[in-house]
Amino acid sequence: MATLARSAAETVDPFDVSRPELYRDDTWRAPFAKLRAEAPVHYVPDSEFGAYWSVSTYKPIIEVESLPDLYSSEAGGITIANFDADDPNAVRMPMFIARDRPVHTAQRRTVAPAFTPSEMTRMAADIRHRTEEVLDRLPWGEGFDWVDTVSIELTTGMLAILFDFPWEDRRKLTFWSDWAGDIEIIKNDELRQQRLMHMYECGSYFRRLWNERVDKPLQPDLISMMIHSDAMREMDDNEFIGNLILLIVGGNDTTRNTMSGLAYGLDKYPDQRAKLEADPSLIPNAVSELIRWQTPLAHMRRTATRDTELMGQQIKAGDKLALWYISGNRDESVFGEDADALVVDRPNARRHLAFGHGIHRCVGARLAELQIGILLEEMAKRRMRVNVTGAPERVSACFVHGYRRLPVELSKY
């Protein structure tokens, strides 16, 4: 299959918000504002990912997420990229977020005990200790990359603990996550082949861990929970890899990019940073606001299972819908005219859509909030201010909304 990238001579559809440069260059706000105002449910007949409906405001996103039998996660997957069954480099790797009921329910129930309030209480001291270690190693008054040194280190360490993964190999989790979550790879045959190779490497590594634990008593790590569950113990290799990738990307990219957005956003809004520095009791609300403001996954996709209507638009069976969380979290009718801004004491910040809604709401939401909250608390204890010293390097893609690099220096306040 030929590479799908457009030639420069082709006309760009201003309403096609799947274009990677919008996110690379951080210019996505204006087209989404126009969509919300003029066409909250809008049909894009041609994009590099094929035809799709853009759902860009809060209310219809909630409606779609609330009707999982009408709008399937399984029929077409959870990203705007289509699965090509005829492509030898496109191997289906099922994961529970991309399954419908009843499989989704049973498999989600298997891993959910890892994220209960009691588990959060159990893990909090360890998360705090690791956060202290990372922050205490940071240089003051000299430049470094916040993404690699703080965001990746903290989230990769958390994943290693969740999986009881060998600590010395923990950066493999970041590597696999980056390959798995890059939606742009679908446009390049060579990269798709490389991704498949890396996903099989990931599966092979985890299969070894599985085999080492298969006859052992239940432990509080995710692999052990899968082994001891009726819903997941008999997964084939591709489903095994798919669910691992889901947990790795879910645990890595979302928290990591919010931690990076935390540093960037508080620097961009110094009045809000000052407000938070003066009143650490705002931290729990600031966590929700930072997740809303960053929105670390820009969209999820659903596929209509039958003809229906959404906000007056006729949706046909088989149509693809991109639910733009990144835009729903800027919906002025919900979050006010200052929805584009970071406001650490925003009264309704917890209404954000960054974790999704309904039966597919992020299973690890509490853990993400806990990690980000502890990071802010430990920064406050050290009176640590993060000053951005150069332009960030952003992910060039419409799925993972995040940062490759963020140059910073630390100062005291």
Side-chain angles (χ1 to χ4, degrees), residues 37-104:
E38 299 177 14
V41 179
H42 174 74
Y43 189 66
V44 178
D46 180 40
S47 81
E48 293 189 70
F49 300 105
Y52 69 94
W53 288 94
S54 261
V55 186
S56 58
T57 54
Y58 194 95
K59 186 178 177 182
I61 292 174
I62 293 287
E63 180 176 340
V64 172
E65 293 266 50
S66 300
L67 298 169
D69 299 322
L70 175 56
Y71 299 104
S72 168
S73 298
E74 190 166 336
I78 58 165
T79 75
I80 197 171
N82 291 323
F83 180 82
D84 183 356
D86 297 325
D87 180 2
N89 295 324
V91 177
R92 195 177 292 280
M93 295 179 177
M95 54 187 69
F96 69 80
I97 196 174
R99 301 298 297 272
D100 295 331
R101 296 182 288 197
V103 172
H104 167 267

Coordinates of all heavy atoms in Angstrom, one line a residue, residues 37-104:
A37 N -18.8 26.5 16.9 CA -19.8 27.6 16.6 C -20.7 27.3 15.4 O -21.9 27.6 15.4 CB -19.0 28.9 16.4
E38 N -20.1 26.6 14.4 CA -20.9 26.5 13.1 C -21.3 25.1 12.8 O -22.4 24.9 12.1 CB -20.0 27.0 12.0 CG -19.6 28.4 12.1 CD -18.7 28.9 11.0 OE1 -18.5 28.1 10.0 OE2 -18.0 30.0 11.1
A39 N -20.6 24.1 13.2 CA -20.9 22.7 12.8 C -20.5 21.7 13.9 O -19.5 21.0 13.6 CB -20.3 22.4 11.4
P40 N -21.1 21.6 15.0 CA -20.6 20.8 16.1 C -20.6 19.3 15.7 O -19.8 18.5 16.3 CB -21.6 21.1 17.2 CG -22.8 21.7 16.6 CD -22.3 22.4 15.4
V41 N -21.5 18.9 14.8 CA -21.4 17.5 14.2 C -21.2 17.7 12.7 O -22.2 18.1 12.0 CB -22.7 16.7 14.6 CG1 -22.6 15.3 13.9 CG2 -22.8 16.6 16.1
H42 N -20.0 17.5 12.2 CA -19.7 17.9 10.9 C -19.1 16.7 10.1 O -18.2 16.0 10.6 CB -18.7 19.0 10.9 CG -18.2 19.4 9.6 ND1 -18.9 20.1 8.6 CD2 -16.9 19.2 9.0 CE1 -18.2 20.3 7.5 NE2 -17.0 19.8 7.7
Y43 N -19.5 16.5 8.9 CA -19.0 15.4 8.0 C -17.8 15.9 7.2 O -17.9 16.9 6.5 CB -20.1 14.9 7.1 CG -19.7 13.6 6.4 CD1 -19.5 12.4 7.1 CD2 -19.5 13.6 5.0 CE1 -19.2 11.3 6.4 CE2 -19.2 12.5 4.3 CZ -19.0 11.3 5.0 OH -18.7 10.1 4.4
V44 N -16.7 15.2 7.4 CA -15.5 15.4 6.6 C -15.4 14.2 5.5 O -15.2 13.1 5.9 CB -14.2 15.4 7.4 CG1 -13.0 15.6 6.6 CG2 -14.3 16.5 8.5
P45 N -15.7 14.5 4.3 CA -15.8 13.4 3.3 C -14.4 12.8 2.9 O -14.4 11.7 2.4 CB -16.4 14.1 2.1 CG -16.1 15.5 2.2 CD -16.0 15.8 3.7
D46 N -13.3 13.6 3.1 CA -12.0 13.1 2.7 C -10.9 13.6 3.6 O -10.8 14.8 3.8 CB -11.8 13.6 1.2 CG -10.4 13.1 0.7 OD1 -10.1 12.0 0.9 OD2 -9.7 13.9 0.0
S47 N -10.2 12.7 4.2 CA -9.0 13.0 5.0 C -8.0 11.9 4.8 O -8.3 10.9 4.1 CB -9.4 13.1 6.5 OG -9.5 11.8 7.1
E48 N -6.9 12.1 5.4 CA -5.9 11.0 5.3 C -6.3 9.8 6.0 O -5.7 8.7 5.9 CB -4.5 11.5 5.8 CG -3.9 12.6 4.9 CD -2.5 12.9 5.3 OE1 -1.6 12.1 5.0 OE2 -2.3 14.0 5.8
F49 N -7.3 9.9 6.8 CA -7.9 8.7 7.5 C -9.2 8.3 7.0 O -9.9 7.5 7.6 CB -8.0 9.0 9.0 CG -6.7 9.4 9.7 CD1 -6.4 10.7 10.0 CD2 -5.8 8.4 10.0 CE1 -5.2 11.0 10.6 CE2 -4.5 8.7 10.6 CZ -4.3 10.0 10.9
G50 N -9.6 8.8 5.8 CA -10.9 8.5 5.2 C -12.0 9.5 5.7 O -11.7 10.4 6.4
A51 N -13.2 9.2 5.3 CA -14.3 10.0 5.7 C -14.6 9.8 7.2 O -14.5 8.7 7.7 CB -15.6 9.7 4.9
Y52 N -15.1 10.9 7.9 CA -15.5 10.8 9.3 C -16.4 11.9 9.7 O -16.4 13.0 9.0 CB -14.2 10.7 10.2 CG -13.4 12.0 10.3 CD1 -13.7 12.9 11.3 CD2 -12.4 12.3 9.4 CE1 -12.9 14.1 11.4 CE2 -11.7 13.5 9.4 CZ -12.0 14.4 10.5 OH -11.2 15.5 10.5
W53 N -17.1 11.7 10.8 CA -17.9 12.8 11.4 C -17.0 13.4 12.5 O -16.5 12.6 13.4 CB -19.2 12.3 12.0 CG -20.2 11.9 11.0 CD1 -20.4 10.7 10.4 CD2 -21.2 12.8 10.4 NE1 -21.5 10.7 9.5 CE2 -22.0 12.0 9.5 CE3 -21.5 14.1 10.5 CZ2 -23.0 12.5 8.8 CZ3 -22.5 14.7 9.8 CH2 -23.3 13.9 8.9
S54 N -16.9 14.7 12.6 CA -16.3 15.4 13.7 C -17.4 15.7 14.7 O -18.3 16.5 14.4 CB -15.6 16.7 13.3 OG -14.2 16.5 13.1
V55 N -17.2 15.3 15.9 CA -18.1 15.6 17.0 C -17.3 16.5 18.0 O -16.4 16.0 18.7 CB -18.7 14.4 17.7 CG1 -19.8 14.8 18.8 CG2 -19.3 13.4 16.7
S56 N -17.6 17.8 18.1 CA -16.7 18.7 18.7 C -17.2 19.5 19.9 O -16.5 20.2 20.5 CB -16.2 19.7 17.6 OG -17.3 20.4 17.1
T57 N -18.5 19.2 20.3 CA -19.0 19.9 21.4 C -19.4 18.9 22.5 O -19.5 17.7 22.2 CB -20.2 20.8 21.1 OG1 -21.2 20.0 20.4 CG2 -19.8 22.0 20.3
Y58 N -19.6 19.4 23.7 CA -19.7 18.6 24.9 C -20.9 17.6 24.9 O -20.8 16.4 25.1 CB -19.8 19.5 26.1 CG -19.6 18.8 27.5 CD1 -18.3 18.8 28.1 CD2 -20.7 18.3 28.1 CE1 -18.2 18.2 29.3 CE2 -20.5 17.7 29.4 CZ -19.3 17.7 30.0 OH -19.1 17.1 31.2
K59 N -22.1 18.2 24.6 CA -23.3 17.5 24.7 C -23.4 16.3 23.7 O -23.7 15.1 24.2 CB -24.5 18.4 24.4 CG -25.9 17.7 24.6 CD -27.0 18.7 24.4 CE -28.4 18.0 24.6 NZ -29.5 19.0 24.3
P60 N -23.1 16.4 22.4 CA -23.1 15.2 21.6 C -22.0 14.2 21.9 O -22.3 13.0 21.7 CB -23.0 15.8 20.2 CG -22.4 17.1 20.3 CD -22.9 17.6 21.7
I61 N -20.9 14.6 22.4 CA -19.9 13.6 22.8 C -20.4 12.8 23.9 O -20.3 11.6 23.9 CB -18.6 14.4 23.3 CG1 -17.9 15.0 22.1 CG2 -17.6 13.4 23.9 CD1 -16.7 15.9 22.4
I62 N -21.1 13.4 24.9 CA -21.7 12.7 26.0 C -22.8 11.7 25.5 O -22.9 10.6 25.9 CB -22.3 13.7 27.1 CG1 -21.2 14.5 27.8 CG2 -23.2 12.9 28.1 CD1 -20.4 13.7 28.8
E63 N -23.6 12.2 24.5 CA -24.6 11.4 24.0 C -24.1 10.1 23.3 O -24.6 9.0 23.5 CB -25.5 12.2 23.0 CG -26.6 11.4 22.3 CD -27.5 12.2 21.4 OE1 -27.5 13.4 21.5 OE2 -28.2 11.5 20.6
V64 N -23.0 10.3 22.5 CA -22.4 9.1 21.8 C -21.8 8.2 22.8 O -22.0 7.0 22.8 CB -21.4 9.6 20.8 CG1 -20.6 8.4 20.3 CG2 -22.0 10.4 19.7
E65 N -21.1 8.7 23.8 CA -20.5 7.8 24.8 C -21.5 7.1 25.7 O -21.2 6.0 26.2 CB -19.6 8.7 25.7 CG -18.4 9.3 25.0 CD -17.1 8.4 25.2 OE1 -17.2 7.2 24.9 OE2 -16.1 9.0 25.6
S66 N -22.7 7.7 25.8 CA -23.7 7.1 26.6 C -24.5 6.0 25.9 O -25.4 5.3 26.6 CB -24.7 8.2 27.1 OG -24.0 9.2 27.9
L67 N -24.3 5.8 24.6 CA -25.0 4.8 23.9 C -24.1 3.8 23.2 O -23.9 3.8 22.0 CB -25.9 5.5 22.8 CG -26.9 6.5 23.3 CD1 -27.5 7.3 22.2 CD2 -28.0 5.7 24.0
P68 N -23.4 3.0 24.0 CA -22.3 2.2 23.5 C -22.8 1.1 22.5 O -22.0 0.5 21.7 CB -21.6 1.6 24.7 CG -22.7 1.6 25.8 CD -23.5 2.8 25.5
D69 N -24.1 0.7 22.6 CA -24.6 -0.3 21.7 C -24.9 0.3 20.3 O -24.8 -0.4 19.3 CB -25.8 -1.0 22.2 CG -25.5 -1.7 23.5 OD1 -24.5 -2.3 23.7 OD2 -26.4 -1.6 24.5
L70 N -25.2 1.6 20.3 CA -25.5 2.3 19.0 C -24.2 2.8 18.4 O -24.0 2.7 17.2 CB -26.4 3.5 19.3 CG -26.7 4.4 18.1 CD1 -27.3 3.7 16.9 CD2 -27.7 5.5 18.6
Y71 N -23.3 3.2 19.2 CA -22.0 3.7 18.8 C -20.9 2.8 19.3 O -20.5 2.9 20.4 CB -21.7 5.2 19.2 CG -22.8 6.2 18.7 CD1 -23.8 6.6 19.5 CD2 -22.7 6.6 17.4 CE1 -24.7 7.5 19.1 CE2 -23.7 7.5 16.9 CZ -24.7 8.0 17.8 OH -25.6 8.8 17.3
S72 N -20.4 1.9 18.4 CA -19.6 0.8 18.9 C -18.1 1.2 19.0 O -17.6 2.0 18.1 CB -19.7 -0.3 17.9 OG -18.7 -1.3 18.0
S73 N -17.4 0.7 20.0 CA -16.0 0.8 20.1 C -15.3 -0.3 19.3 O -14.1 -0.1 19.0 CB -15.5 0.8 21.5 OG -16.1 1.9 22.3
E74 N -15.9 -1.4 19.1 CA -15.3 -2.6 18.5 C -15.4 -2.6 17.0 O -14.5 -3.1 16.3 CB -16.0 -3.8 19.1 CG -15.3 -5.1 18.8 CD -15.8 -6.3 19.7 OE1 -16.3 -6.0 20.8 OE2 -15.7 -7.4 19.2
A75 N -16.5 -2.0 16.4 CA -16.7 -2.2 15.0 C -15.6 -1.6 14.2 O -15.2 -2.1 13.1 CB -18.1 -1.5 14.6
G76 N -15.0 -0.5 14.6 CA -13.9 0.2 13.9 C -12.7 0.5 14.7 O -11.8 1.2 14.2
G77 N -12.7 0.2 16.0 CA -11.6 0.6 16.8 C -11.8 1.9 17.5 O -12.9 2.6 17.3
I78 N -10.8 2.4 18.2 CA -11.0 3.6 19.0 C -10.2 4.8 18.5 O -10.2 5.9 19.1 CB -10.6 3.3 20.5 CG1 -9.1 2.9 20.5 CG2 -11.5 2.4 21.1 CD1 -8.5 2.9 21.9
T79 N -9.6 4.7 17.4 CA -8.9 5.9 16.8 C -9.5 6.1 15.4 O -10.1 5.2 14.8 CB -7.4 5.7 16.7 OG1 -7.1 4.8 15.6 CG2 -6.8 5.2 18.0
I80 N -9.2 7.3 14.9 CA -9.7 7.7 13.6 C -9.1 6.9 12.4 O -9.6 6.8 11.3 CB -9.5 9.2 13.4 CG1 -10.4 9.8 12.3 CG2 -8.0 9.5 13.2 CD1 -10.3 11.3 12.2
A81 N -8.0 6.3 12.7 CA -7.3 5.4 11.7 C -8.1 4.2 11.5 O -8.5 3.5 12.4 CB -5.9 5.1 12.2
N82 N -8.3 3.8 10.2 CA -9.0 2.5 9.9 C -8.1 1.3 9.9 O -6.9 1.4 9.6 CB -9.6 2.6 8.5 CG -10.8 3.6 8.5 OD1 -11.5 3.8 9.4 ND2 -10.9 4.4 7.3
F83 N -8.7 0.2 10.3 CA -7.9 -1.1 10.2 C -8.1 -1.6 8.8 O -9.2 -1.8 8.3 CB -8.4 -2.0 11.3 CG -7.7 -3.4 11.3 CD1 -6.5 -3.5 11.9 CD2 -8.2 -4.5 10.6 CE1 -5.8 -4.7 11.9 CE2 -7.6 -5.7 10.6 CZ -6.4 -5.8 11.3
D84 N -7.0 -2.0 8.2 CA -7.0 -2.5 6.8 C -6.7 -4.0 6.9 O -5.5 -4.4 7.1 CB -5.9 -1.8 6.0 CG -5.9 -2.3 4.5 OD1 -6.7 -3.2 4.2 OD2 -5.2 -1.7 3.7
A85 N -7.7 -4.8 6.8 CA -7.6 -6.3 6.9 C -6.7 -6.9 5.9 O -6.2 -8.0 6.0 CB -9.0 -6.9 6.9
D86 N -6.6 -6.2 4.7 CA -5.7 -6.7 3.6 C -4.3 -6.4 3.7 O -3.5 -6.9 2.9 CB -6.3 -6.2 2.3 CG -7.7 -6.7 2.0 OD1 -8.0 -7.8 2.4 OD2 -8.5 -5.9 1.4
D87 N -3.9 -5.6 4.7 CA -2.5 -5.1 4.8 C -1.8 -6.1 5.8 O -2.2 -6.3 6.9 CB -2.5 -3.7 5.4 CG -1.1 -3.2 5.6 OD1 -0.1 -3.9 5.3 OD2 -1.0 -2.1 6.2
P88 N -0.7 -6.7 5.3 CA 0.1 -7.7 6.1 C 0.7 -7.1 7.3 O 1.0 -7.8 8.3 CB 1.1 -8.2 5.1 CG 1.3 -7.2 4.1 CD -0.1 -6.6 3.9
N89 N 0.9 -5.7 7.4 CA 1.4 -5.1 8.5 C 0.4 -4.6 9.5 O 0.7 -3.9 10.5 CB 2.3 -3.9 8.1 CG 3.5 -4.3 7.3 OD1 4.1 -5.3 7.6 ND2 3.9 -3.5 6.3
A90 N -0.9 -4.9 9.2 CA -2.0 -4.5 10.1 C -2.5 -5.8 10.7 O -3.3 -6.5 10.2 CB -3.1 -3.8 9.3
V91 N -2.1 -6.0 11.9 CA -2.5 -7.2 12.7 C -3.4 -6.7 13.8 O -3.1 -5.8 14.6 CB -1.3 -7.9 13.3 CG1 -1.7 -9.1 14.1 CG2 -0.3 -8.4 12.2
R92 N -4.6 -7.3 13.8 CA -5.6 -6.9 14.8 C -5.2 -7.4 16.2 O -4.9 -8.6 16.4 CB -7.0 -7.5 14.5 CG -8.1 -6.8 15.3 CD -9.5 -7.3 14.9 NE -9.9 -7.0 13.5 CZ -10.4 -5.8 13.2 NH1 -10.5 -4.8 14.1 NH2 -10.7 -5.5 11.9
M93 N -5.1 -6.4 17.1 CA -4.7 -6.7 18.5 C -5.8 -6.2 19.4 O -5.7 -5.1 19.9 CB -3.3 -6.1 18.8 CG -2.2 -6.7 18.0 SD -0.6 -5.9 18.4 CE 0.5 -6.9 17.3
P94 N -6.8 -7.0 19.7 CA -7.9 -6.6 20.5 C -7.5 -6.1 21.9 O -6.6 -6.7 22.5 CB -8.8 -7.8 20.6 CG -8.4 -8.7 19.5 CD -6.9 -8.4 19.3
M95 N -8.2 -5.1 22.4 CA -8.0 -4.6 23.7 C -9.4 -4.2 24.3 O -10.3 -3.8 23.5 CB -7.0 -3.4 23.7 CG -7.5 -2.2 22.8 SD -6.2 -0.9 22.7 CE -4.9 -1.7 21.8
F96 N -9.5 -4.3 25.6 CA -10.9 -4.1 26.2 C -11.5 -2.8 25.9 O -12.7 -2.7 25.8 CB -10.9 -4.6 27.6 CG -10.3 -3.7 28.6 CD1 -10.9 -2.6 29.1 CD2 -9.0 -4.1 29.2 CE1 -10.3 -1.8 30.1 CE2 -8.4 -3.3 30.1 CZ -9.0 -2.1 30.6
I97 N -10.7 -1.7 25.8 CA -11.3 -0.4 25.5 C -11.9 -0.4 24.2 O -12.8 0.4 23.9 CB -10.2 0.7 25.7 CG1 -10.9 2.1 25.8 CG2 -9.2 0.7 24.5 CD1 -10.0 3.2 26.0
A98 N -11.5 -1.3 23.3 CA -12.0 -1.3 21.9 C -12.9 -2.6 21.7 O -12.9 -3.2 20.7 CB -10.8 -1.4 20.9
R99 N -13.5 -3.0 22.8 CA -14.5 -4.1 22.8 C -15.8 -3.6 23.2 O -15.9 -2.6 24.0 CB -14.0 -5.3 23.7 CG -12.7 -5.9 23.3 CD -12.6 -6.5 21.9 NE -13.5 -7.6 21.7 CZ -13.2 -8.9 22.0 NH1 -12.0 -9.2 22.5 NH2 -14.1 -9.8 21.7
D100 N -16.9 -4.2 22.8 CA -18.2 -3.8 23.2 C -18.6 -4.8 24.3 O -17.9 -5.8 24.6 CB -19.2 -3.9 22.1 CG -18.9 -2.8 21.0 OD1 -18.3 -1.8 21.4 OD2 -19.2 -3.1 19.8
R101 N -19.8 -4.6 24.9 CA -20.3 -5.5 25.9 C -20.7 -6.8 25.3 O -21.1 -6.8 24.1 CB -21.5 -4.9 26.6 CG -21.1 -3.6 27.4 CD -22.3 -3.0 28.2 NE -23.3 -2.4 27.3 CZ -24.2 -1.5 27.7 NH1 -24.3 -1.1 28.9 NH2 -25.0 -0.9 26.8
P102 N -20.5 -7.9 25.9 CA -20.1 -8.2 27.3 C -18.6 -8.3 27.5 O -18.2 -8.3 28.7 CB -20.9 -9.5 27.7 CG -20.8 -10.2 26.4 CD -21.0 -9.2 25.3
V103 N -17.8 -8.5 26.4 CA -16.4 -8.7 26.6 C -15.7 -7.6 27.3 O -14.9 -7.8 28.3 CB -15.7 -9.0 25.3 CG1 -14.2 -9.1 25.4 CG2 -16.2 -10.3 24.6
H104 N -16.1 -6.4 26.9 CA -15.5 -5.2 27.6 C -15.7 -5.2 29.1 O -14.8 -5.0 29.9 CB -16.1 -3.9 27.0 CG -15.8 -2.7 27.8 ND1 -16.6 -2.2 28.8 CD2 -14.7 -1.9 27.8 CE1 -16.1 -1.1 29.4 NE2 -14.9 -0.9 28.8

